[in-house]
Amino acid sequence: MKGDRVTGISHRQDQDEFRGATGSLFRIALAPTIWAFHFLFCYAGAAVWCAKFGTPGGIAFLRLSIAGLTVLALLAIAWQGWRSYRQWAPHDHDDHVEGSHRFLGHAALLLSVISFVGVVYVAMPALFIGSCL
Amino acid sequence: MIDRTPQGIYPPTEAMLAEPVPQDVRDAQEDRLRRVWKTKTGIRYLMTVNNSEVGKWYSLTCFAFMLSAGVLALLMRVQLAFPGMQFLDADRFNQFFTMHGSAMMFLFAVPLFEAMAILILPAFLGARDMPFPRLSAFGYWSFLIGGVFVLGSVLFDAAPKSGWFMYPPLATEDPGVGSDIWLLGLSFIEIASIAAAVELIVGVLKCRPPGMRINTMPLYAWYVLVVGGMILFAFPPLIAGDLLFELERALDWPFFDPARGGDPIFWQHLFWIFGHPEVYIVFLPSVAIAAMIVPTMAQRPIVGYSWIVLSAVGTGFLSFGLWVHHMFTTGLPMISLAFFSAASEAVVIPTGIQLFVFLVTLMVGRVQKSLPLLWIAGGLAIFTAGGLTGIMLAIAPFDWQVHDTYFIVAHLHYTLFGGMVLPVMAGVYYFFPFFTRRQLSVRLGRWAFWLIFGGFNLTFLPMHLTGLLGMPRRVFTYQPDLGWNMLNLVSSVGAFIIAAGFLVFAWDLLRPGKPRLQDPNPWKAGTLEWSATLSDEDWGVRSIPFITSRYPLWDQPRLVERMAEGRYYLPDAPEGHRETLVTSVIDGQPVQVQRVTGDAWITLAAAVFIGGCFILPTFHLYVAGAISGLLGVACIIYWLWTSTARIPDKEMKDAGLGLRLPTYAAGPQSVGWWAMWITMLGDATAFASIVFGFFFYWTAGTDFPPAGADHADGMLVLLSTLLLTVSWAMTMAARRLNRRGSVTGARAALVAAPLAALAGGGLLVLSVLDLSPTSHVYPAVICALVIWTGAHVLVGVLMQGYCLAGLVFGKIDPDHDADLWNVSLFWHFHVLTVLVTAAVIGLAPRLL
C-alpha cells in the first residue's frame, strides 16, 4: 500500500516516454536481433561469395568469416545475457513481487539463452559444408 | 505552452475506492454513457465503429469465407475420390485449389486474428474501445470488399489458377485476369491487415488500464504485440512483390523474366519472406487463446509467464529465418540451404516451450473438464504431429524426396488445423458467453469436435502415405494403377465428415433460442473480460479499473462490483464524447483522456473508393481507378480533418478518483504519433524489399547492370536529393517555429516545403525518363524505386498542405501541434528513403 500521495507522473517523464519505453522493449529484443543480423550476414555472405567467387575460390575464407562473426555474436549475446541477469536477479531490499523492471530483465535473459542456441545452430552448417555446391 | 502534467492523486487509495457513489449520480452517469455509446439501428447500423460490433462482423465474415473455401475443398475431394473422375476439369480444379489456399490464408486465417483481437482485446484491457475505432471499421469494409471481389471471381470462371503462391512464370504469363485479381485484391486486404496491426500494437502499448504494467498484462496482449510486429515486417515484402508483379503484368517490366535479366526466384524469396512468418502470424494468436483458456481451466495462474513471453518473442524472431525451407529444390548453394535448415530446427525450441508451459499449468492445477479444453487438447495433439513432420521436412534431403507431394499437403494441414483451427474453435466456445451472454450447447459441441477431429485425421493421415507413394499435389486426376486409389477415397470420405462437424457447429452458432447466461463469469476466469455484468451495454466497461494483478478477478476482491458501480476511472461522459484512457507503455500510469472517433459513413465511403482504386485497374479501367483513388484520399482527408487531433474545449479533465488528465497530446505522448511510427516501420520494410531486389539481381545475374547500360542522370538525382532534403528541413523548421509561437514563420516554411518537394520529385522522375524499363530488369528496378519514392513525395506534399491548412484555419496552433509532429515523423522516414534511393540509383551502378 503506497498510501495517499500526489501523482508522480511528471510531464517531462512522459515526454521521455518514447525513448524509455522503446529502450526497455528493444532491450529485450536485442539478443534476438543479434541472432537476426548474424543469420542475415551468414546467408548474404554465403550467397554473394558463392555467386561472385564460387567454387574455384573455395569457401575457406567464407567459413572463417562465419566463424569470426559467430564468436562476435555469441560474445555480444553473452554480454547482453549477463546484463539482463543483473537486472533480473533479486536484490536485498526487494519485496518478492517481480516489478516490471525485473520482469524485463528476466525476459531478456531467457531470450539471450534462446538466441545463443539459435546462433550456434545457424553456424553449424559452416562447420560441416566445405563447398558452394 | 499549456502545462499538461497530470494532477491529483495516483495511485488511488483503498479509502477512495471504498467510497460509495450515490444512486442518483450513478443513474445519471449511466444514462449519459448509454447515450454516447448507443449502437445505431436500421440502415445507420452500418455506420457503427464500436469494436464489439465491428469485431462481430469481421469474425462472421471470416467464418463465411472459410466455409466457402471449405466447399471448394469438398468439390476437389469429390474429383479426387476415384481415378479418372470427370467431375471438375483441369482448369476449374486449378482455380479451386488456388482459391482454397488463398482464401483460407488471406481471407480466413490472418483476418480472423484481427477480428478476434478487435473483438476481445479492449475487454482484456478494460478499455472502452480501440484507440482508432474508425480505422477498425475501415479495415473491415476493405476486407469485405476485397474478399468478395477475390472469392467472387471463382463464380465467373475468372479466378486465379497458379496456386496460392503465384509462382512466375506460370502466374505472370497466365492470360486471363485471374492473376491481377489475386495481386490487386489481396494487396488491398494486406494494407487493411497492416492498418489493423498498427491499431492493435498501439492498443496494447497505450490503452491498458491504470496500474496494468507490461508484466501484468494478459498473455494474449503479448501475443498481439508480437504478431502485430511480425505483420509489419512480413506483409510489406509481399506488397512490394505485388507491385513489381503487377508492373510486369501491366507494363511488361521484366522483374521475373530471365530473358531480360529478371529472375523468377526473386518472387519466391519475397513471397516466402512473407509466407513463412505468416504461418506463425496465424499460429501465435491461436496459442494466445490457449494461453487464456488454460489458466482458467486449471483454476490457477499460468506457470512461467516470462517463459511464454520468451517463446512468443523468440518464435516471432526465428520465424523470419525459415523462408528458404520452402525453396530447398531451387538449386541454391547447399550452405545457404543448411542455414535455413538449422534455423527451422531451432524454432522448435521456443514453440515447444509454450506447449510445455500449458501442460505444466494443467498438471499443477485443478482441471475442470470442459468443451474449450477438449478443443485445446485436440489442437495440441494434431499440432504436435504436424510439428514432427515439420522437423522431418526441415532436413533438406528429406524435403527433396517429398517436395510438392501430398506429404506436404498433410503436413501443412496438420500444423494449420492443430495450430490454428482447433484452438480458435476452443476460443469460440470459451468466449461465446462473453460476446453474446448466451451459452453454446455442450452436446452439439462434443459432436462437432469428434466429427471434425476424427474426420480430420481420416482425411489427412493417409495423405502422408499418398505423398510418400509419389502423388504430386495439384493434379486434377490420376491413373488407377498407381496404388493411390483407396487412400484418396478415404481422404475424400474424411473431408465430408469434417464438413458435417462444421455444419453442426454452424447450426449451434446461429440457431436461435440458446439459453441465457446465469453467471456473468461462467468459467470462473480471472481476467478482465469477464467483469461485465449480465445486462448488455455498448459502453465496454462501466468504469476503467485500477489493476494490480495478472488475474484481477481472482486477486482483487470487489473489483467487479466497484467497476459496475462506476467507482473507477471515466465513469461518466459529461461532454457527450466517446473517450478512453491512455496510459504509459511500461508501467501503465494514466497520462491522457483520449477522445475516440464515433460512428460515421465516411469510413465506409473511404473503403469503397480505395477499393475501387485497386479493383478497377484489374479490368484495365485505369482512369476510373485513379478517380476512385482520388475520391478515397478526399474521404480520408475529410475524416482526419473533422475528427482527429481536434483542439479540445477543456485542456484538462476530471478522470475520476481525484485525477485530472490532459485531453490533448502531441508527439511521442500521443497515440497518433505511435501509429505513424509503426506504420512507417512497415513502409520502410516494403521499400527495403525493393532495394533488396536491386542487390539480389546484382548477386544472381552476371549482367547487372548490363555493360553499357544507361544510368539515371547523376546530376538530376543529386539536385533532387538536395531539394527533398530542403523540404524535410523546412518541415522540421515549421514544427519548431510553430512551437515557439512564430506562426507566420511556420506558414512560410510550409509553403516552401511542398514546393521544394514537388520540384525534387519532378527532377527525380526526369532523371530516369530516358531509361527503357521494358528492355532489361536493371532500368526496371531503377524505375520501380523512383515510382516508390515519387509516390511518397506526393503523400508527403499532401501532408505538408494539410498542416498548412491546419495553421491557416486554426486546427494547429503553438499549443496543439499533433499533426505537425506526425508529418515531421513521416518526413524523417521519407528523407531516409530519398537518400537510399539516390545512393542505389545514382551511386551504386557506378561503383559495382
Side-chain angles (χ1 to χ4, degrees):
Chain A
M1 190 68 237
K2 292 192 173 143
D4 192 348
R5 64 175 177 80
V6 168
T7 159
I9 315 161
S10 77
H11 191 54
R12 194 62 233 162
Q13 179 186 331
D14 189 47
Q15 273 210 328
D16 290 339
E17 159 157 46
F18 180 71
R19 201 165 302 138
T22 48
S24 359
L25 283 179
F26 282 144
R27 206 172 307 138
I28 80 168
L30 182 62
T33 307
I34 296 171
W35 169 85
F37 277 97
H38 173 262
F39 180 81
L40 200 66
F41 286 142
C42 288
Y43 166 60
V48 172
W49 184 270
C50 286
K52 295 292 169 191
F53 306 101
T55 322
I59 63 167
F61 177 78
L62 175 68
R63 292 170 75 187
L64 280 175
S65 313
I66 290 177
L69 202 61
T70 304
V71 171
L72 277 180
L74 291 180
L75 283 175
I77 291 174
W79 170 75
Q80 157 71 1
W82 169 245
R83 277 201 326 164
S84 320
Y85 174 75
R86 294 287 301 275
Q87 186 180 337
W88 168 58
H91 305 291
D92 293 341
H93 56 270
D94 253 11
D95 45 7
H96 292 280
V97 187
E98 194 179 63
S100 56
H101 183 70
R102 277 191 57 205
F103 160 77
L104 289 171
H106 191 193
L109 173 65
L110 294 175
L111 280 164
S112 304
V113 174
I114 196 92
S115 307
F116 194 95
V117 177
V119 167
V120 170
Y121 266 53
V122 169
M124 276 199 285
L127 204 61
F128 296 114
I129 295 179
S131 82
C132 275
L133 292 175
Chain B
M1 274 300 291
I2 295 170
D3 180 19
R4 294 202 175 91
T5 315
Q7 293 159 1
I9 296 162
Y10 179 82
T13 63
E14 181 58 29
M16 291 162 74
L17 295 175
E19 200 170 314
V21 184
Q23 190 62 43
D24 55 328
V25 175
R26 265 179 69 179
D27 290 345
Q29 288 179 341
E30 283 179 7
D31 212 39
R32 282 189 289 267
L33 272 180
R34 202 170 283 130
R35 211 171 321 131
V36 169
W37 288 92
K38 188 173 171 8
T39 301
K40 295 190 166 50
T41 49
I43 184 79
R44 286 153 63 87
Y45 177 63
L46 297 178
M47 294 167 71
T48 306
V49 299
N50 197 339
N51 76 293
S52 49
E53 300 305 313
V54 173
K56 267 180 218 164
W57 303 342
Y58 222 141
S59 308
L60 286 173
T61 309
C62 289
F63 185 55
F65 285 151
M66 189 273 263
L67 291 181
S68 315
V71 169
L72 296 179
L74 288 181
L75 296 174
M76 286 191 286
R77 275 323 316 174
V78 172
Q79 166 65 19
L80 291 174
F82 297 100
M85 283 277 282
Q86 302 282 322
F87 181 68
L88 298 174
D89 61 32
D91 184 73
R92 201 169 293 270
F93 189 86
N94 292 348
Q95 294 187 33
F96 281 11
F97 73 67
T98 302
M99 276 325 296
H100 171 74
S102 304
M104 284 297 189
M105 284 307 213
F106 293 98
L107 305 182
F108 168 62
V110 176
L112 189 67
F113 152 63
E114 287 144 17
M116 300 268 289
I118 287 172
L119 193 51
I120 55 187
L121 187 68
F124 282 146
L125 301 181
R128 288 260 157 74
D129 203 327
M130 302 299 290
F132 315 109
R134 285 191 185 176
L135 189 64
S136 315
F138 173 74
Y140 168 71
W141 291 114
S142 300
F143 167 65
L144 180 71
I145 294 167
V148 168
F149 170 63
V150 174
L151 199 55
S153 66
V154 90
L155 300 175
F156 298 93
D157 200 17
K161 49 192 169 202
S162 318
W164 81 281
F165 33 76
M166 286 278 127
Y167 278 180
L170 184 62
T172 35
E173 302 298 322
D174 180 37
V177 290
S179 295
D180 304 301
I181 290 177
W182 192 96
L183 289 166
L184 293 165
L186 295 182
S187 294
F188 181 43
I189 290 174
E190 284 149 24
I191 290 169
S193 289
I194 293 178
V198 170
E199 157 132 289
L200 293 170
I201 295 173
V202 178
V204 167
L205 291 177
K206 298 291 289 176
C207 295
R208 302 199 303 268
M212 186 186 274
R213 293 163 189 266
I214 196 131
N215 58 318
T216 44
M217 68 184 188
L219 285 168
Y220 189 83
W222 268 106
Y223 281 101
V224 166
L225 197 58
V226 170
V227 173
M230 291 173 70
I231 288 181
L232 286 185
F233 290 103
F235 277 56
L238 182 61
I239 292 176
D242 287 350
L243 172 71
L244 302 183
F245 205 129
E246 196 50 38
L247 285 172
E248 172 153 353
R249 294 266 311 173
L251 304 176
D252 192 30
W253 294 14
F255 295 105
F256 310 113
D257 177 8
R260 288 174 285 167
D263 193 340
I265 295 291
F266 181 50
W267 169 261
Q268 299 196 16
H269 277 292
L270 287 181
F271 187 87
W272 291 114
I273 289 173
F274 148 79
H276 203 85
E278 197 229 11
V279 174
Y280 288 86
I281 289 171
V282 165
F283 165 65
L284 290 178
S286 318
V287 181
I289 292 174
M292 301 309 288
I293 296 178
V294 163
T296 302
M297 294 309 155
Q299 286 292 297
R300 59 151 293 137
I302 195 104
V303 175
Y305 180 94
S306 312
W307 290 83
I308 292 264
V309 174
L310 146 89
S311 69
V313 179
T315 311
F317 269 88
L318 291 179
S319 67
F320 279 86
L322 315 181
W323 81 85
V324 168
H325 76 209
H326 297 266
M327 301 163 59
F328 277 162
T329 56
T330 53
L332 292 176
M334 208 63 75
I335 190 160
S336 301
L337 301 189
F339 292 136
F340 289 89
S341 190
S344 307
E345 304 291 359
V347 79
V348 176
I349 301 170
T351 312
I353 285 174
Q354 51 205 343
L355 304 188
F356 281 106
V357 166
F358 296 155
L359 291 180
V360 171
T361 306
L362 288 172
M363 277 167 66
V364 297
R366 296 182 307 276
V367 176
Q368 314 170 326
K369 277 190 197 155
S370 66
L371 213 43
L373 199 59
L374 184 64
W375 288 93
I376 295 276
L380 285 185
I382 290 179
F383 181 75
T384 307
L388 290 174
T389 50
I391 294 172
M392 295 159 73
L393 288 169
I395 297 164
F398 183 83
D399 181 80
W400 296 335
Q401 296 303 313
V402 295
H403 186 80
D404 261 348
T405 69
Y406 265 85
F407 191 88
I408 304 289
V409 179
H411 160 71
L412 74 92
H413 282 90
Y414 264 82
T415 51
L416 289 171
F417 249 82
M420 193 262 166
V421 178
L422 295 192
V424 163
M425 294 291 282
V428 173
Y429 280 96
Y430 180 75
F431 290 117
F432 195 80
F434 156 70
F435 303 145
T436 60
R437 310 274 131 212
R438 289 172 190 276
Q439 284 275 31
L440 287 171
S441 154
V442 176
R443 202 164 56 91
L444 291 176
R446 285 220 185 93
W447 269 100
F449 174 81
W450 287 110
L451 284 171
I452 291 174
F453 183 83
F456 174 84
N457 284 297
L458 198 61
T459 311
F460 293 100
L461 198 61
M463 277 189 196
H464 292 101
L465 206 53
T466 326
L468 289 174
L469 289 173
M471 180 163 169
R473 64 197 284 201
R474 298 178 172 177
V475 290
F476 82 109
T477 191
Y478 49 92
Q479 297 297 316
D481 54 352
L482 295 166
W484 306 339
N485 302 6
M486 183 46 92
L487 292 167
N488 271 300
L489 184 60
V490 171
S491 288
S492 294
V493 171
F496 281 87
I497 298 178
I498 303 178
F502 276 110
L503 277 183
V504 172
F505 168 71
W507 160 247
D508 195 16
L509 192 71
L510 302 175
R511 81 193 154 94
K514 286 186 283 282
R516 279 207 160 271
L517 212 56
Q518 299 304 316
D519 177 353
N521 186 359
W523 311 107
K524 308 269 172 285
T527 38
L528 276 178
E529 74 275 22
W530 300 104
S531 63
T533 50
L534 284 171
S535 65
D536 218 3
E537 301 283 4
D538 295 326
W539 56 47
V541 286
R542 171 69 180 82
S543 59
I544 300 174
F546 175 67
I547 295 299
T548 53
S549 150
R550 279 180 193 154
Y551 297 91
L553 266 55
W554 290 342
D555 301 336
Q556 289 180 252
R558 315 192 55 194
L559 176 99
V560 174
E561 174 194 328
R562 286 171 178 174
M563 278 173 78
E565 287 170 5
R567 291 199 207 171
Y568 287 106
Y569 296 101
L570 292 186
D572 198 357
E575 296 90 358
H577 298 156
R578 293 187 178 186
E579 293 162 324
T580 196
L581 213 53
V582 175
T583 52
S584 66
V585 172
I586 301 294
D587 285 329
Q589 293 178 323
V591 290
Q592 190 204 342
V593 174
Q594 170 78 31
R595 183 170 164 189
V596 296
T597 44
D599 298 345
W601 286 115
I602 195 72
T603 41
L604 181 49
V608 168
F609 287 126
I610 298 285
C613 174
F614 279 89
I615 290 170
L616 293 169
T618 315
F619 307 106
H620 306 290
L621 301 169
Y622 296 109
V623 177
I627 293 173
S628 184
L630 287 176
L631 287 171
V633 170
C635 288
I636 291 174
I637 290 178
Y638 173 82
W639 154 15
L640 294 176
W641 184 270
T642 51
S643 65
T644 62
R646 284 162 296 194
I647 298 181
D649 300 330
K650 287 189 299 182
E651 289 297 337
M652 298 293 282
K653 175 184 162 87
D654 188 4
L657 289 171
L659 186 65
R660 286 177 64 73
L661 292 175
T663 51
Y664 187 95
Q669 294 137 284
S670 73
V671 285
W673 191 88
W674 281 75
M676 176 65 88
W677 199 86
I678 295 166
T679 309
M680 292 316 292
L681 216 53
D683 185 79
T685 311
F687 173 67
S689 308
I690 304 180
V691 174
F692 166 63
F694 183 93
F695 291 99
F696 175 85
Y697 291 126
W698 172 68
T699 316
T702 46
D703 61 340
F704 189 92
D710 286 334
H711 298 307
D713 186 315
M715 192 44 87
L716 290 180
V717 171
L718 184 67
L719 270 176
S720 140
T721 310
L722 285 176
L723 281 167
L724 287 166
T725 312
V726 166
S727 182
W728 163 75
M730 286 288 153
T731 314
M732 292 310 105
R735 195 192 81 205
R736 296 241 161 89
L737 287 167
N738 176 61
R739 262 271 155 117
R740 282 199 217 122
S742 166
V743 178
T744 320
R747 284 183 194 176
L750 279 181
V751 172
L755 292 177
L758 283 175
L763 289 181
L764 190 65
V765 173
L766 277 182
S767 75
V768 297
L769 218 52
D770 289 337
L771 302 186
S772 142
T774 51
S775 63
H776 190 269
V777 72
Y778 170 69
V781 77
I782 299 276
C783 291
L785 283 167
V786 169
I787 289 180
W788 183 269
T789 310
H792 282 70
V793 170
L794 290 179
V795 176
V797 167
L798 209 58
M799 289 182 171
Q800 288 163 336
Y802 181 89
C803 286
L804 181 62
L807 280 171
V808 172
F809 295 103
K811 187 171 157 57
I812 301 175
D813 64 31
D815 278 319
H816 303 92
D817 57 353
D819 293 323
L820 266 174
W821 276 90
N822 297 352
V823 168
S824 327
L825 184 60
F826 174 89
W827 270 89
H828 282 317
F829 276 89
H830 181 50
V831 80
L832 284 178
T833 307
V834 168
L835 293 174
V836 172
T837 303
V840 172
I841 72 174
L843 281 181
R846 292 171 171 85
L847 297 178
L848 290 176

